[in-house]
Amino acid sequence: MRFRVDPLPLPGTYRGTAIVVDVIRATTAALYLKAGATALVLARGAEAARALRQDGELLAGEVGGLPPEGFDLGNSPREVNGVVGKAVVMATTNGTRAAHAALGARHILLGSLQNAQAVAEKARETGEEVHLVCAGKEGQMALDDLYTAGVIGKRLKALGFSPEGEMAHLALFLAENPSFPVLSSSEAAKALVGVGLGEDVAECARVDVHGVVPRFLGMRGEGMVFGG
């Protein structure tokens, strides 16, 4: 089996297994499910999230790194209190849009550094070719996502997958470096530091710390529902 790395989403092109990566910070939000949330519902944007929210559910997400007005949570991986037994409806600038771009794939998973080994193993279980879909940052390739795709790619390679294409090989090359310095040098990290959330970068840089893999279960209106 093979895996490819897309530095930016290619909507409408995915048929096998897509692993969506927005490590700072949307796909690290697997922590909501780890902390006891019943589901993670991904909306394309803040207004769509407001429309999707049902009674008793929480709104989470960011615009410019900060929670939109009326949201219960940002999307900081350090901010997971109060989610037990509740669905979390989330909208972010890049990550939730990237997940929607992967629609059409038979299997959609959310990957991060924190669940790198677990998401690679879950992808292998599908028996499909894997596409690592990097969210990027506002339409530009993102170092942090490409690096994370490489870390997951290393684990896929150890499980018998072959990299295909120069971006997969570039990602694997980047993955030979330690996580925190790479993530810290990314534009996404610098933006978080600028709004006082630099501590999130260290949390997102932790590798293989849990086994929760959000997987796409189906649509709820215009929201993508993920469970652990």
Side-chain angles (χ1 to χ4, degrees), residues 121-132:
E121 291 174 359
K122 185 67 70 175
R124 180 182 60 175
E125 290 173 10
T126 69
E128 303 273 1
E129 181 174 294
V130 173
H131 294 264
L132 287 150

Side-chain angles (χ1 to χ4, degrees), residues 7 14 21 53 64 67-68 85 98 111 116 130 154-155 165 171 179 194 201 217:
Y14 302 109
V21 175
R53 181 190 198 176
V130 173
K154 282 180 67 176
R155 285 146 179 77
S179 61
V201 180
L217 303 177

Side-chain angles (χ1 to χ4, degrees), residues 70-163:
F71 274 46
D72 304 292
L73 301 165
N75 69 323
S76 170
R78 297 180 295 116
E79 222 181 70
V80 297
N81 292 332
V83 304
V84 176
K86 299 179 180 180
V88 178
V89 182
M90 187 168 75
T92 70
T93 305
N94 303 295
T96 57
R97 289 183 171 89
H100 280 264
L103 284 169
R106 280 185 283 277
H107 308 275
I108 304 175
L109 309 172
L110 303 185
S112 68
L113 290 174
Q114 291 198 355
N115 71 355
Q117 182 66 39
V119 77
E121 291 174 359
K122 185 67 70 175
R124 180 182 60 175
E125 290 173 10
T126 69
E128 303 273 1
E129 181 174 294
V130 173
H131 294 264
L132 287 150
V133 183
C134 299
K137 182 169 173 56
E138 297 166 15
Q140 301 297 315
M141 184 172 70
L143 173 64
D144 49 311
D145 291 341
L146 191 60
Y147 170 83
T148 302
V151 172
I152 297 170
K154 282 180 67 176
R155 285 146 179 77
L156 288 170
K157 195 174 176 184
L159 292 171
F161 285 80
S162 300

Side-chain angles (χ1 to χ4, degrees), residues 163-182:
E164 181 174 282
E166 63 181 18
M167 295 309 298
H169 289 282
L170 175 58
L172 290 170
F173 175 77
L174 287 173
E176 294 302 316
N177 296 281
S179 61
F180 183 67
V182 176

